[in-house]
Amino acid sequence: MTATAFARTDGCHLLVASYLSRLGRPADELEGPVGHQLDRTALDLLAMLIDERCGRFAPQAPDRAAALLVRVKDRIVRHLGDP
């Protein structure tokens, strides 16, 4: 999904773009548990957007989907500072 453009005018693309743009403004003021939860929510929204784009909204076994989500979030969080 690298370098993929998403429209900011429709569906969940608009929701994700709006959330991320608003999250960026007070980011330096939000620390601790609230900031971490907002980060996790942003990652969940991005994962949903990618799944929608790839057509992966097919039902999965709950354990498999949860394990994959944990791995994806962990990788993203560990690499947030990597340009």
Side-chain angles (χ1 to χ4, degrees):
M1 298 306 305
T2 302
T4 299
F6 293 93
R8 295 183 70 171
T9 58
D10 64 330
C12 70
H13 304 132
L14 178 60
L15 172 70
V16 174
S18 176
Y19 181 83
L20 292 176
S21 67
R22 289 177 186 233
L23 180 63
R25 290 186 183 126
D28 57 338
E29 301 168 12
L30 300 172
E31 297 180 12
V34 172
H36 292 293
Q37 183 59 47
L38 291 170
D39 291 343
R40 285 191 294 273
T41 299
L43 293 175
D44 285 340
L45 288 170
L46 288 170
M48 178 196 61
L49 187 63
I50 291 168
D51 282 344
E52 180 189 55
R53 173 62 63 95
C54 294
R56 290 188 281 211
F57 272 113
Q60 293 183 8
D63 292 339
R64 182 174 172 222
L68 178 60
L69 183 60
V70 167
R71 290 195 339 254
V72 168
K73 285 182 178 182
D74 181 60
R75 179 165 175 80
I76 291 170
V77 167
R78 284 185 289 121
H79 292 90
L80 281 176
D82 185 0

